[in-house]
Amino acid sequence: MGRLCAFAIVLGSVLTQSSPRLLALAGLYAACLVAASVLVLLCVLPLIKKHKPPTWIKRVGLGVQRTTAVLLALLLSLTWTTWRAEQRLNAMLSLEHENVVTRLTFRVTSLPNDTSESVRFQAQVLEPYKVGVPNSLQISWLKTPAIPRVLPGQVFRAALVLRRPHSNLNPHGFDYEGHLFAKNIRALGRVRGTPVFLADEPFATFSVAIARARHLVRDGMRSVTANMTYGAVLIALAIGDQDSVRHEHWQVFNLTGITHLVSISGSHVTMLAAMGGWLTLLTMKRARWRGRLLCERVPARVVATLVAMLVAWLYCLLAGWGVPAQRTFFMLACVAASILVRHTLSVSRVLAVAAAVVVVADPWAPLSTGFWLSFLAVGILFAAGAAGHGRGPGLSRWQSLKLLCTEASRLQWLITIAMLPVLAFLFQQVSLVSPFANALAIPVLTFVVTPLALALALFGLVPGLGWLATASGVLAHWALEYTLIPVTWLANLSWASFDVAAAPCWTLVIAGTGLCWALQPPGWPARWAGWCLLLPVLSFTPQRPAPGHWRLLAFDVGQGGAVLLQTQTHDVLFDTGPRQGANDAGTRTILPNLRALGVRKLASVVVSHADSDHAGGLLTVLNALPVGMLYSSFSFQEWLRRASPASVLVALKKEPSQTRLCERGQRWVWDGVVFQFLYPEKKPPVEMSGLKRVAPLRSAQGKLSKNAQSCVLYVQGVQNSTLLPGDIGIQQEQLLLEKYAAELKADLVVVAHHGSETSSSQHFVQQIKAQHAIAQTGYLNRFGHPHPTIQQRWLDAQTRFWQTDRHGAVLAESLPEGLKVQAYSQLRQRYWHQRRP
């Protein structure tokens, strides 16, 4: 029953975190009271009966008691999680303080993330408090020559521009808003001007002291690893700070399936705890006090167990107290408790108790994929180990070593295959070289690199032992560098990984059933059949539009444009979204969604014009997927030649099969759907001058701007049509009306220039007669898009108006029964999403 109660506790948290709105606390309180009363009554009734009831009544009563206890655990979990969530929701940034300058006093509470452009950290607001401003913030401070060194515990007075947490909502994208909510970050702040330093309080709170200690350790390690290629990886191995690991290194780790080795895993914590316990046990058995061994005064096993738990707890705190560290610590705590009370616990009970304790301590832990992967991997390892063959007696050392290697290889292959369905379901990508990469990396990283990285962290803190820190760092980096040479070679293989489409939940349930069947001990009938049940989640194919119909997905990419058009066998990408800092919409949004939708190649890519909010992700998309035809309003080769290396994030590795300028009159038919360009006219391409975000309708020389030269694509199915006008202005809209007159109608329109006042004229809106209009805009963008006048103009024309900053990605499907349009915020609404009405 204990395992069922633990399962109910985890289920209560999962149900709450998956809900679009929170349950009423009053109703939950009442339900808990009723369930507790019933349970007490069921426990007391057998004690007050005078006659002994029949056996079957006892069994029924016991079953009802257990069911009620599990139900009570579920209700208590729902109540606890809901109450915690209500507390965080109440600490919301008020609208009067959003996007305006607010002067606050705050204390740095986290390990600062120091990049080349800014410093980002969590902060706690101090007195004097302001009504409507939450206490927990995440602050970004752009680097200037006057910026001081930011340390945990420092107190500043600064002018901040505050915003509510907001993330782009796409069908298969990362929910950044949920991530911040789980970390209790209720507002984002950007420093304006020069803050005033007030005090340094490194021991203000326990969490601040831990963050300061982590900062000191990181500084000591950075002094040694500053010029090392994998120096940031060594820091991640020692203290769990992964923010500085390079993007290209993460790509290698993900493609080879060794990401778990770079994070603080259970093996790190267990290894340190075991070392601390072993040293304590050795000391207890040999040290004397007043003529007697210490183990004669105090049980050595008890002291060693307590010291091991203390070492594990301290290291988990130093590592950031992440989900894998929490899981390992609570599992070790269960084992330690069983040792202290001399009661053996099964692996399933240890896992269940650890999961329940993690969820009670942090109800948002199930939002992390690491929570599920961590517990699942440990469970599979123990299940596979139990199903394996035992070691025979009387074996020689060589035979024992051979048997150990064989068993390790078997476990590695089993866990790789067993994790395939979960990884495919969560990430839509499966590594084929993972067993080989892990076989190379696990021994070296676990027994060589990680201990040396920990020695580097330790010696870097002790004055006079800098030479030992340097030696440990050099040896660790040397071992890591040479280990990653074959791993990188594996990652660069063309068949290193394969993509799978996002599968529905029922395929994962079938795969889980098959996994449980396949991991049974030898002698279980038809164990091979269980592995066959993994195929549905690996081979699922999403449904495509019927012939003559189309599907449109307007991505939520912030202030920019990116639209996917699908027919029965073809995929067209119209614009590639913006570039932001060291990232672009291709990497963040477009490619993950294309992979999840099962898109392996693009029949065509259309870049309406060269502004970076429409062409920012072009090179990323071209390098990742085969592209048949590239249409643009500018010379692609000229764009590549004139774009400076500083403005292009990645070099072009794959060119499209063909490139062509979009011109009025170009027309083709795919799967019964007609595609045609309505604009621009057949003229020389617009002059390129680099990548700019905004351009006037005409330049100083009277030439048409890039916006005015945008490709305008019209798509006509057997029943519905759509218009994608890029960033054209009112003059270009008038030209379209003159050319096509009454023929220019569309059921769905992607609003020109994100709803700018320079587009969507009254005549154009009335002539189009669209049922739906989609404006792709960024949250609180500096341009004020969409303009209220333009939005009202579309609404007055009886058009349903969608905004990606409010509704998330918008999905439109042309079906035989009509046009169906849905917003992703409606399909996956969570209680923490703060979407404006």
Side-chain angles (χ1 to χ4, degrees):
M1 188 179 71
R3 282 168 288 192
L4 288 177
C5 289
F7 173 77
I9 291 172
V10 176
L11 179 62
S13 177
V14 171
L15 291 176
T16 303
Q17 309 305 347
S18 304
S19 301
R21 61 187 61 86
L22 294 176
L23 298 173
L25 276 175
L28 289 174
Y29 291 151
C32 289
L33 183 60
V34 170
S37 302
V38 171
L39 181 61
V40 171
L41 184 63
L42 290 173
C43 294
V44 171
L45 277 178
L47 301 178
I48 61 177
K49 285 189 175 181
K50 297 181 180 179
H51 303 286
K52 185 177 180 181
T55 304
W56 68 271
I57 292 181
K58 285 185 176 181
R59 291 179 178 176
V60 171
L62 184 60
V64 174
Q65 286 181 14
R66 291 179 175 177
T67 304
T68 306
V70 173
L71 178 62
L72 179 60
L74 175 62
L75 291 173
L76 290 174
S77 177
L78 287 170
T79 304
W80 169 249
T81 307
T82 302
W83 181 80
R84 291 281 304 274
E86 287 279 7
Q87 300 300 310
R88 293 195 178 181
L89 285 178
N90 292 335
M92 184 191 305
L93 180 68
S94 63
L95 293 178
E96 62 179 305
H97 292 294
E98 188 171 29
N99 211 28
V100 297
V101 176
T102 305
R103 298 189 179 277
L104 296 172
T105 301
F106 59 84
R107 179 191 295 120
V108 181
T109 59
S110 71
L111 189 66
N113 177 19
D114 192 355
T115 66
S116 59
E117 298 178 353
S118 64
V119 178
R120 189 173 66 248
F121 52 87
Q122 295 180 37
Q124 178 187 3
V125 177
L126 304 177
E127 295 182 352
Y129 303 110
K130 289 198 175 183
V131 178
V133 176
N135 290 335
S136 182
L137 309 176
Q138 178 175 286
I139 296 176
S140 178
W141 191 347
L142 290 178
K143 281 192 172 180
T144 62
I147 185 173
R149 190 183 184 196
V150 181
L151 303 176
Q154 289 181 336
V155 179
F156 293 93
R157 173 79 175 172
L160 303 175
V161 178
L162 300 177
R163 289 190 178 189
R164 292 183 178 182
H166 181 90
S167 64
N168 299 334
L169 284 184
N170 293 283
H172 305 283
F174 177 63
D175 188 357
Y176 185 61
E177 192 172 345
H179 171 72
L180 293 178
F181 189 84
K183 295 173 67 174
N184 195 25
I185 296 173
R186 302 303 296 128
L188 304 178
R190 189 176 69 253
V191 174
R192 293 283 296 270
T194 303
V196 178
F197 175 75
L198 300 180
D200 187 10
E201 303 172 352
F203 304 103
T205 63
F206 182 72
S207 60
V208 168
I210 293 298
R212 190 63 169 260
R214 297 184 71 204
H215 181 83
L216 292 175
V217 173
R218 186 178 68 176
D219 266 13
M221 297 187 70
R222 280 182 173 178
S223 64
V224 176
T225 63
N227 298 320
M228 295 181 179
T229 305
Y230 297 101
V233 179
L234 296 179
I235 295 175
L237 285 169
I239 64 172
D241 178 30
Q242 303 175 351
D243 293 329
S244 300
V245 180
R246 298 178 185 176
H247 177 68
E248 57 268 25
H249 294 163
W250 280 124
Q251 286 184 317
V252 172
F253 301 152
N254 292 332
L255 288 173
T256 54
I258 64 170
T259 306
H260 63 99
L261 297 176
V262 185
S263 59
I264 298 297
S265 63
S267 59
H268 298 172
V269 182
T270 305
M271 179 176 61
L272 281 178
M275 186 179 298
W278 177 74
L279 290 176
T280 304
L281 192 64
L282 195 64
T283 303
M284 292 289 293
K285 289 183 176 181
R286 296 189 178 185
R288 293 176 176 271
W289 187 58
R290 293 185 178 180
R292 295 177 60 187
L293 293 172
L294 291 179
C295 60
E296 296 178 356
R297 299 178 179 274
V298 183
R301 191 177 182 185
V302 173
V303 177
T305 301
L306 295 176
V307 171
M309 289 308 304
L310 178 62
V311 172
W313 178 65
L314 291 175
Y315 181 61
C316 287
L317 291 178
L318 185 65
W321 197 243
V323 171
Q326 292 180 40
R327 183 261 304 165
T328 305
F329 176 76
F330 290 125
M331 288 178 62
L332 290 176
C334 293
V335 175
S338 67
I339 292 175
L340 295 177
V341 301
R342 299 183 180 181
H343 177 72
T344 304
L345 289 177
S346 63
V347 174
S348 61
R349 285 187 172 88
V350 171
L351 285 172
V353 172
V357 173
V358 169
V359 167
V360 171
D362 181 10
W364 293 273
L367 292 177
S368 168
T369 55
F371 175 85
W372 304 102
L373 295 177
S374 179
F375 281 98
L376 181 62
V378 174
I380 291 173
L381 278 176
F382 279 108
H389 302 284
R391 179 176 300 178
L395 297 179
S396 64
R397 292 183 179 180
W398 172 250
Q399 291 174 326
S400 299
L401 180 61
K402 182 180 178 180
L403 183 61
L404 179 63
C405 294
T406 303
E407 185 67 11
S409 301
R410 185 186 72 87
L411 288 177
Q412 181 58 52
W413 277 102
L414 274 178
I415 195 170
T416 300
I417 297 174
M419 294 293 285
L420 278 180
V422 181
L423 294 175
F425 182 82
L426 292 175
F427 305 113
Q428 291 83 53
Q429 192 174 58
V430 175
S431 174
L432 296 178
V433 298
S434 175
F436 309 103
N438 277 277
L440 288 170
I442 286 178
V444 179
L445 265 71
T446 302
F447 300 111
V448 178
V449 178
T450 299
L452 287 173
L454 294 173
L456 165 62
L458 177 63
F459 295 141
L461 294 175
V462 181
L465 295 183
W467 63 276
L468 278 177
T470 302
S472 301
V474 170
L475 290 175
H477 187 265
W478 178 83
L480 179 62
E481 186 176 22
Y482 280 93
T483 302
L484 291 181
I485 290 176
V487 172
T488 304
W489 178 80
L490 289 172
N492 291 330
L493 294 175
S494 58
W495 51 271
S497 64
F498 70 93
D499 297 336
V500 297
C505 292
W506 61 264
T507 60
L508 187 62
V509 174
I510 292 176
T513 305
L515 187 60
C516 293
W517 187 276
L519 290 179
Q520 295 301 314
W524 192 267
R527 287 198 303 164
W528 58 268
W531 300 114
C532 297
L533 296 181
L534 306 185
L535 295 177
V537 73
L538 299 175
S539 59
F540 178 79
T541 302
Q543 186 177 4
R544 304 281 300 193
H549 294 275
W550 49 265
R551 180 185 298 139
L552 180 146
L553 177 59
F555 294 112
D556 181 11
V557 293
Q559 185 65 20
V563 176
L564 176 67
L565 284 161
Q566 292 184 299
T567 64
Q568 189 178 38
T569 60
H570 293 80
D571 299 279
V572 178
L573 181 64
F574 188 91
D575 284 336
T576 59
R579 185 184 68 244
Q580 295 176 347
N583 217 322
D584 60 56
T587 302
R588 292 192 315 269
T589 303
I590 297 174
L591 291 181
N593 279 275
L594 293 182
R595 181 168 60 240
L597 293 172
V599 177
R600 301 295 173 259
K601 63 179 180 178
L602 290 168
S604 178
V605 171
V606 180
V607 183
S608 62
H609 59 295
D611 283 350
S612 65
D613 57 339
H614 292 256
L618 176 58
L619 293 182
T620 300
V621 172
L622 292 178
N623 284 332
L625 293 174
V627 175
M629 176 68 75
L630 173 64
Y631 290 100
S632 61
S633 62
F634 53 89
S635 170
F636 177 65
Q637 296 300 330
E638 183 75 5
W639 178 77
L640 280 179
R641 186 178 68 83
R642 294 206 178 189
S644 64
S647 63
V648 178
L649 297 177
V650 290
L652 181 63
K653 301 175 183 177
K654 299 180 184 177
E655 291 198 11
S657 300
Q658 300 181 59
T659 60
R660 186 178 298 177
L661 296 175
C662 55
E663 297 174 343
R664 184 174 69 86
Q666 292 172 339
R667 182 179 183 275
W668 66 95
V669 180
W670 281 335
D671 305 318
V673 178
V674 179
F675 294 79
Q676 63 177 338
F677 286 113
L678 307 184
Y679 188 83
E681 301 290 339
K682 295 183 180 180
K683 292 182 179 180
V686 62
E687 183 179 348
M688 297 298 302
S689 58
L691 295 177
K692 297 181 180 179
R693 289 191 175 274
V694 185
L697 289 179
R698 288 187 177 274
S699 65
Q701 294 79 19
K703 297 180 180 180
L704 285 176
S705 68
K706 289 180 284 185
N707 285 353
Q709 283 283 77
S710 294
C711 302
V712 178
L713 181 63
Y714 185 73
V715 181
Q716 176 67 60
V718 295
Q719 192 164 343
N720 301 108
S721 60
T722 182
L723 179 68
L724 291 84
D727 277 1
I728 62 171
I730 294 177
Q731 296 177 6
Q732 289 71 48
E733 292 175 350
Q734 185 62 34
L735 289 175
L736 292 177
L737 294 176
E738 292 174 359
K739 289 285 185 182
Y740 298 97
E743 300 177 6
L744 188 61
K745 298 185 184 301
D747 299 297
L748 183 143
V749 175
V750 177
V751 179
H753 203 179
H754 319 287
S756 168
E757 199 176 13
T758 61
S759 302
S760 300
S761 65
Q762 184 74 38
H763 188 197
F764 183 79
V765 172
Q766 292 177 350
Q767 179 64 37
I768 289 293
K769 296 181 180 179
Q771 302 175 28
H772 300 271
I774 305 172
Q776 292 185 288
T777 55
Y779 181 65
L780 295 179
N781 65 87
R782 62 189 178 95
F783 308 105
H785 295 161
H787 196 278
T789 303
I790 302 303
Q791 180 177 356
Q792 190 60 45
R793 186 173 293 166
W794 284 103
L795 292 174
D796 291 341
Q798 305 301 311
T799 301
R800 180 76 182 273
F801 195 80
W802 305 87
Q803 293 179 224
T804 54
D805 62 328
R806 296 183 179 180
H807 303 104
V810 180
L811 175 65
E813 295 182 275
S814 174
L815 304 171
E817 55 270 20
L819 184 64
K820 180 182 179 182
V821 181
Q822 291 178 297
Y824 186 61
S825 61
Q826 299 171 347
L827 299 176
R828 193 187 169 185
Q829 176 68 31
R830 295 294 182 264
Y831 67 86
W832 58 77
H833 287 156
Q834 302 296 330
R835 295 274 158 171
R836 296 186 180 215

